[in-house]
Amino acid sequence: PTPEYPNSFFSQDISLSDGGNRVEFRTDADWWEEKTMVKVAFALAFTDSVATYEIPYGTITRSTGSEDRWAKAKVEVPAERWADISHQGYGVSLLNTSKYGYDIKGRTMRLSLLRSPLWPDPTADRGKHSIEYALYPHSGDWRKAATVQRAIEYNNPLIAIKTGVHHGKLPASLSFIRLEPKDLVLATVKKAEDSDAWIVQWYDAAGTGADAVLTLPKAPKGVVRSNVMEEDGVAVPSSGATVRMKTTPHGMVTLKIRF
């Protein structure tokens, strides 16, 4: 325990992989406090007037100052897998796997880790936790640094499975589904709720717009525009296993694909 948290215990591992591009933190906590909130804070050597946060299917910029009551009230703001502050060709992204409360004010970047209110749930966050987050310093802004892709990689690490030597039909390198260019994020590949069709969904993370090229594992029999209700829309032409689709800036595309 520490004097600030007499009933709780913390341990932390900080690691930098050989050839890696981020500093990773794993904080293990046995948390039994009341009316207390814990944040991790990083003091940066620079600042900017705004910071960028990931939100569902996009990003949002928010002020890093307290120039008015609206900005001053934002003591904590929601975000998904990352937040970033960049200035004059350099920046730092704070990635995380399970926490969604950020605040970036001045030169300080913080992430909320644990809280222990007495209402409405008097047992909220009590117990053991293993919390992972990482600092990703980079040149340029978050677009140039591909922060969106780095955060997805951090949240979805590769899984290796050991197997024996055997012959196979697949080539040495193969993508089950491929989406280009890189600023488009493939968000969903799933079976439709009411048929055997596939639902494939992506969005423009950079906000610049792009001509999407989707390469499927085989040629489809039919492709249509769809929506979150998985309804059939206008037909989309395909050529072999390739589908091309204009994606507007910050746009989202949903396709229903039948084989």
Side-chain angles (χ1 to χ4, degrees), residues 211-226:
D211 292 322
V213 180
L214 178 71
T215 304
L216 300 165
K218 60 182 179 179
K221 289 185 176 180
V223 181
V224 297
R225 289 292 298 261
S226 189

Side-chain angles (χ1 to χ4, degrees), residues 13-128:
D13 293 324
I14 304 175
S15 61
L16 176 62
S17 301
D18 184 16
N21 55 21
R22 62 180 181 248
V23 181
E24 298 183 5
F25 299 80
R26 192 188 75 188
T27 299
D28 294 321
D30 193 1
W31 179 251
W32 296 100
E33 304 302 319
E34 290 186 354
K35 299 181 180 179
T36 306
M37 189 171 187
V38 175
K39 294 174 176 276
V40 60
F42 297 97
L44 307 178
F46 67 95
T47 188
D48 195 83
S49 59
V50 296
T52 304
Y53 303 81
E54 185 185 41
I55 59 176
Y57 292 90
T59 60
I60 188 172
T61 56
R62 298 183 174 106
S63 171
T64 60
S66 300
E67 63 276 10
D68 54 36
R69 293 175 62 187
W70 181 255
K72 188 176 181 180
K74 295 179 181 178
V75 294
E76 182 179 72
V77 296
E80 291 198 316
R81 293 165 293 199
W82 61 271
D84 178 271
I85 183 169
S86 301
H87 183 71
Q88 294 184 347
Y90 178 77
V92 174
S93 300
L94 178 54
L95 319 178
N96 88 92
T97 61
S98 60
K99 299 297 176 180
Y100 308 103
Y102 283 85
D103 68 86
I104 302 175
K105 295 294 184 181
R107 299 178 183 271
T108 303
M109 174 181 282
R110 300 198 300 178
L111 178 68
S112 301
L113 301 185
L114 296 166
R115 57 191 294 271
S116 49
L118 297 181
W119 186 90
D121 180 6
T123 65
D125 282 355
R126 273 56 159 202
K128 294 184 177 181

Side-chain angles (χ1 to χ4, degrees), residues 176 198 215-221 240-242 257 259:
F176 180 67
W198 291 11
T215 304
L216 300 165
K218 60 182 179 179
K221 289 185 176 180
T242 301
I257 302 170
F259 293 98

Side-chain angles (χ1 to χ4, degrees), residues 121-169:
D121 180 6
T123 65
D125 282 355
R126 273 56 159 202
K128 294 184 177 181
H129 301 263
S130 185
I131 306 166
E132 296 181 353
Y133 45 92
L135 278 181
Y136 170 46
H138 57 78
S139 60
D141 63 6
W142 61 270
R143 293 180 178 88
K144 183 179 178 180
T147 290
V148 175
Q149 287 78 9
R150 300 294 86 81
I152 292 172
E153 292 167 357
Y154 185 50
N155 278 263
N156 301 274
L158 292 176
I159 300 174
I161 299 176
K162 187 176 181 180
T163 184
V165 178
H166 61 278
H167 294 288
K169 298 179 180 179

Side-chain angles (χ1 to χ4, degrees), residues 135-255:
L135 278 181
Y136 170 46
H138 57 78
S139 60
D141 63 6
W142 61 270
R143 293 180 178 88
K144 183 179 178 180
T147 290
V148 175
Q149 287 78 9
R150 300 294 86 81
I152 292 172
E153 292 167 357
Y154 185 50
N155 278 263
N156 301 274
L158 292 176
I159 300 174
I161 299 176
K162 187 176 181 180
T163 184
V165 178
H166 61 278
H167 294 288
K169 298 179 180 179
L170 299 179
S173 178
L174 176 69
S175 294
F176 180 67
I177 290 182
R178 185 176 182 88
L179 178 65
E180 299 173 295
K182 64 181 180 61
D183 287 334
L184 301 179
V185 176
L186 186 62
T188 301
V189 178
K190 65 180 285 288
K191 180 181 175 297
E193 296 296 315
D194 300 324
S195 71
D196 289 331
W198 291 11
I199 301 297
V200 177
Q201 187 177 78
W202 68 82
Y203 68 97
D204 172 31
T208 56
D211 292 322
V213 180
L214 178 71
T215 304
L216 300 165
K218 60 182 179 179
K221 289 185 176 180
V223 181
V224 297
R225 289 292 298 261
S226 189
N227 54 29
V228 294
M229 299 301 293
E230 301 185 4
E231 297 169 329
D232 286 2
V234 298
V236 176
S238 60
S239 176
T242 301
V243 180
R244 298 178 182 272
M245 172 64 61
K246 180 73 174 179
T247 305
T248 59
H250 301 290
M252 181 177 70
V253 173
T254 305
L255 299 181

